[in-house]
Coordinates of all heavy atoms in Angstrom, one line a residue:
K16 N 13.2 6.5 2.7 CA 12.4 6.5 1.5 C 11.1 7.3 1.7 O 10.7 8.1 0.9 CB 12.0 5.1 1.1 CG 13.2 4.2 0.7 CD 13.8 4.6 -0.6 CE 14.9 3.6 -1.0 NZ 15.6 4.0 -2.2
L17 N 10.5 7.1 2.9 CA 9.3 7.9 3.2 C 9.6 9.4 3.3 O 8.7 10.2 3.0 CB 8.6 7.4 4.4 CG 7.8 6.1 4.2 CD1 7.6 5.3 5.5 CD2 6.4 6.4 3.6
A18 N 10.7 9.7 3.9 CA 11.1 11.1 4.0 C 11.4 11.8 2.7 O 11.4 13.1 2.7 CB 12.3 11.2 5.0
S19 N 11.6 11.1 1.7 CA 12.0 11.7 0.4 C 10.8 12.2 -0.5 O 11.0 12.8 -1.5 CB 12.7 10.6 -0.5 OG 11.9 9.6 -1.0
F20 N 9.6 12.1 0.0 CA 8.4 12.6 -0.7 C 7.3 13.0 0.3 O 7.3 12.6 1.4 CB 7.9 11.6 -1.7 CG 7.3 10.3 -1.2 CD1 5.9 10.2 -0.9 CD2 8.1 9.2 -0.8 CE1 5.4 9.1 -0.4 CE2 7.5 8.1 -0.3 CZ 6.2 8.0 -0.1
G21 N 6.4 13.8 -0.2 CA 5.3 14.3 0.7 C 3.9 14.0 0.2 O 3.0 14.2 0.9
E22 N 3.8 13.6 -1.1 CA 2.4 13.4 -1.6 C 1.7 12.3 -0.9 O 2.3 11.3 -0.6 CB 2.5 13.1 -3.1 CG 3.2 14.2 -3.9 CD 4.7 14.1 -4.0 OE1 5.3 13.1 -3.5 OE2 5.3 15.0 -4.6
H23 N 0.4 12.4 -0.8 CA -0.4 11.3 -0.3 C -1.0 10.5 -1.4 O -1.2 11.0 -2.5 CB -1.6 11.9 0.6 CG -1.1 12.5 1.8 ND1 -1.5 13.8 2.2 CD2 -0.2 12.1 2.8 CE1 -0.9 14.1 3.3 NE2 -0.1 13.1 3.7
W24 N -1.2 9.2 -1.1 CA -1.9 8.3 -2.0 C -1.1 8.1 -3.3 O -1.6 7.8 -4.4 CB -3.3 8.7 -2.3 CG -4.2 8.8 -1.1 CD1 -4.6 10.0 -0.6 CD2 -4.7 7.8 -0.3 NE1 -5.4 9.7 0.5 CE2 -5.4 8.3 0.8 CE3 -4.5 6.4 -0.3 CZ2 -6.0 7.6 1.8 CZ3 -5.1 5.6 0.7 CH2 -5.9 6.3 1.7
S25 N 0.3 8.3 -3.2 CA 1.1 8.1 -4.4 C 2.2 7.1 -4.1 O 3.3 7.5 -3.6 CB 1.7 9.5 -4.8 OG 2.5 9.4 -5.9
P26 N 2.0 5.8 -4.3 CA 2.9 4.8 -3.8 C 4.3 4.9 -4.5 O 4.4 5.3 -5.7 CB 2.2 3.5 -4.2 CG 1.2 3.8 -5.2 CD 0.8 5.3 -5.0
R27 N 5.3 4.6 -3.8 CA 6.7 4.6 -4.3 C 7.3 3.1 -4.2 O 7.3 2.5 -3.1 CB 7.6 5.5 -3.5 CG 7.2 7.0 -3.4 CD 7.1 7.6 -4.8 NE 7.2 9.0 -4.9 CZ 6.2 9.9 -4.8 NH1 5.0 9.4 -4.7 NH2 6.4 11.1 -4.9
V28 N 7.8 2.6 -5.3 CA 8.3 1.3 -5.3 C 9.7 1.4 -4.7 O 10.6 2.1 -5.2 CB 8.4 0.7 -6.7 CG1 9.0 -0.7 -6.7 CG2 7.0 0.7 -7.3
V29 N 10.0 0.5 -3.7 CA 11.3 0.6 -3.0 C 12.1 -0.7 -3.3 O 13.3 -0.8 -3.0 CB 11.2 0.8 -1.5 CG1 10.6 2.2 -1.3 CG2 10.4 -0.2 -0.8
A30 N 11.4 -1.8 -3.8 CA 12.1 -3.1 -4.0 C 11.1 -3.9 -4.9 O 9.9 -3.7 -5.0 CB 12.4 -3.8 -2.7
G31 N 11.7 -5.0 -5.4 CA 10.9 -6.0 -6.1 C 11.1 -7.3 -5.4 O 12.1 -7.6 -4.8
F32 N 10.0 -8.1 -5.5 CA 10.1 -9.4 -4.8 C 9.2 -10.4 -5.5 O 8.0 -10.3 -5.6 CB 9.5 -9.2 -3.3 CG 9.4 -10.4 -2.5 CD1 10.5 -11.0 -2.0 CD2 8.1 -11.0 -2.3 CE1 10.3 -12.2 -1.2 CE2 8.0 -12.1 -1.6 CZ 9.1 -12.7 -1.0
N33 N 9.9 -11.3 -6.2 CA 9.2 -12.4 -7.0 C 8.1 -11.9 -7.8 O 6.9 -12.4 -7.8 CB 8.6 -13.4 -6.0 CG 9.7 -14.3 -5.3 OD1 10.8 -14.4 -5.9 ND2 9.5 -14.7 -4.1
G34 N 8.4 -10.8 -8.6 CA 7.3 -10.3 -9.5 C 6.4 -9.4 -8.8 O 5.4 -9.0 -9.4
H35 N 6.6 -9.0 -7.6 CA 5.8 -8.1 -6.9 C 6.5 -6.8 -6.6 O 7.7 -6.7 -6.5 CB 5.4 -8.7 -5.5 CG 4.4 -9.8 -5.6 ND1 4.7 -11.0 -6.3 CD2 3.1 -9.9 -5.2 CE1 3.6 -11.8 -6.2 NE2 2.6 -11.1 -5.6
D36 N 5.7 -5.7 -6.5 CA 6.3 -4.4 -6.1 C 6.2 -4.3 -4.6 O 5.1 -4.6 -4.0 CB 5.5 -3.2 -6.7 CG 5.7 -3.1 -8.2 OD1 6.8 -3.4 -8.7 OD2 4.8 -2.6 -8.9
V37 N 7.2 -3.9 -3.9 CA 7.2 -3.6 -2.5 C 7.3 -2.1 -2.5 O 8.2 -1.4 -3.0 CB 8.4 -4.2 -1.8 CG1 8.4 -3.8 -0.3 CG2 8.5 -5.7 -1.9
M38 N 6.2 -1.5 -1.8 CA 6.1 0.0 -1.9 C 5.8 0.6 -0.5 O 5.4 -0.1 0.4 CB 4.9 0.3 -2.8 CG 5.0 -0.2 -4.2 SD 3.4 0.0 -5.1 CE 2.5 -1.3 -4.3
V39 N 6.2 1.9 -0.4 CA 5.8 2.7 0.7 C 4.8 3.8 0.2 O 5.0 4.2 -1.0 CB 7.0 3.3 1.5 CG1 7.8 2.2 2.2 CG2 7.9 4.1 0.6
V40 N 3.9 4.2 1.0 CA 3.0 5.3 0.7 C 2.6 6.0 1.9 O 2.5 5.4 3.0 CB 1.8 4.7 -0.1 CG1 1.0 3.8 0.8 CG2 0.9 5.8 -0.7
K41 N 2.4 7.3 1.7 CA 1.8 8.2 2.8 C 0.3 8.4 2.4 O 0.0 8.7 1.2 CB 2.5 9.5 2.9 CG 3.9 9.4 3.3 CD 4.6 10.8 3.3 CE 6.0 10.7 3.8 NZ 6.7 12.0 3.8
V42 N -0.5 8.2 3.4 CA -2.0 8.4 3.1 C -2.6 9.3 4.2 O -2.1 9.3 5.3 CB -2.7 7.0 3.1 CG1 -2.1 6.1 2.0 CG2 -2.6 6.3 4.4
Q43 N -3.6 10.0 3.8 CA -4.4 10.8 4.7 C -5.7 11.1 4.0 O -5.7 11.4 2.8 CB -3.7 12.1 5.1 CG -4.4 12.9 6.2 CD -3.5 14.0 6.8 OE1 -2.5 14.3 6.3 NE2 -4.0 14.5 7.9
G44 N -6.8 11.0 4.8 CA -8.1 11.2 4.2 C -8.6 9.9 3.7 O -8.2 8.9 4.1
E45 N -9.6 10.0 2.8 CA -10.3 8.9 2.3 C -9.9 8.6 0.8 O -9.8 9.5 0.0 CB -11.8 9.1 2.4 CG -12.6 7.9 1.9 CD -14.1 8.1 2.2 OE1 -14.5 8.7 3.3 OE2 -14.9 7.8 1.3
F46 N -9.6 7.3 0.5 CA -9.3 6.9 -0.8 C -10.7 6.6 -1.5 O -11.7 6.8 -0.9 CB -8.4 5.7 -0.8 CG -7.7 5.5 -2.1 CD1 -6.9 6.4 -2.7 CD2 -7.7 4.2 -2.7 CE1 -6.2 6.2 -3.9 CE2 -7.1 4.0 -3.9 CZ -6.3 5.0 -4.5
V47 N -10.6 6.0 -2.7 CA -11.9 5.7 -3.4 C -12.3 4.2 -3.1 O -11.4 3.4 -2.8 CB -11.7 5.9 -4.9 CG1 -11.4 7.3 -5.3 CG2 -10.6 5.0 -5.5
W48 N -13.6 4.0 -3.1 CA -14.0 2.6 -3.0 C -13.6 1.9 -4.3 O -13.7 2.4 -5.4 CB -15.6 2.5 -3.0 CG -16.1 2.8 -1.6 CD1 -16.5 4.0 -1.1 CD2 -16.3 1.9 -0.5 NE1 -16.9 3.9 0.2 CE2 -16.8 2.5 0.6 CE3 -16.0 0.5 -0.4 CZ2 -17.0 1.9 1.8 CZ3 -16.3 -0.2 0.8 CH2 -16.8 0.6 1.9
H49 N -13.0 0.7 -4.1 CA -12.5 0.0 -5.3 C -12.3 -1.5 -4.9 O -12.4 -1.9 -3.7 CB -11.2 0.6 -5.8 CG -10.0 0.4 -4.8 ND1 -9.9 1.2 -3.7 CD2 -9.0 -0.5 -4.8 CE1 -8.8 0.8 -3.0 NE2 -8.2 -0.2 -3.7
S50 N -12.0 -2.3 -5.9 CA -11.6 -3.7 -5.7 C -10.6 -4.1 -6.7 O -10.3 -3.4 -7.7 CB -12.8 -4.6 -5.8 OG -13.3 -4.6 -7.1
H51 N -9.9 -5.2 -6.4 CA -8.9 -5.8 -7.3 C -9.4 -7.2 -7.7 O -9.3 -8.1 -6.9 CB -7.6 -5.9 -6.6 CG -7.1 -4.5 -6.1 ND1 -6.4 -3.7 -6.9 CD2 -7.3 -3.9 -4.9 CE1 -6.1 -2.6 -6.2 NE2 -6.6 -2.7 -5.0
P52 N -9.9 -7.4 -8.9 CA -10.5 -8.7 -9.2 C -9.5 -9.8 -9.4 O -9.8 -10.9 -9.3 CB -11.2 -8.4 -10.6 CG -10.6 -7.1 -11.1 CD -10.1 -6.3 -9.9
E53 N -8.2 -9.4 -9.6 CA -7.2 -10.4 -9.9 C -6.2 -10.7 -8.7 O -5.4 -11.6 -8.8 CB -6.4 -10.0 -11.1 CG -7.2 -9.7 -12.3 CD -7.9 -11.0 -12.9 OE1 -7.3 -12.1 -12.8 OE2 -9.0 -10.9 -13.4

Side-chain angles (χ1 to χ4, degrees):
K16 297 291 188 184
L17 283 156
S19 73
F20 66 94
E22 300 86 4
H23 293 132
W24 305 108
S25 183
R27 301 299 202 271
V28 179
V29 297
F32 175 75
N33 292 331
H35 287 66
D36 289 331
V37 178
M38 300 169 289
V39 292
V40 65
K41 293 178 180 179
V42 299
Q43 187 167 12
E45 183 173 317
F46 199 55
V47 298
W48 279 93
H49 68 285
S50 65
H51 302 272
E53 304 295 325

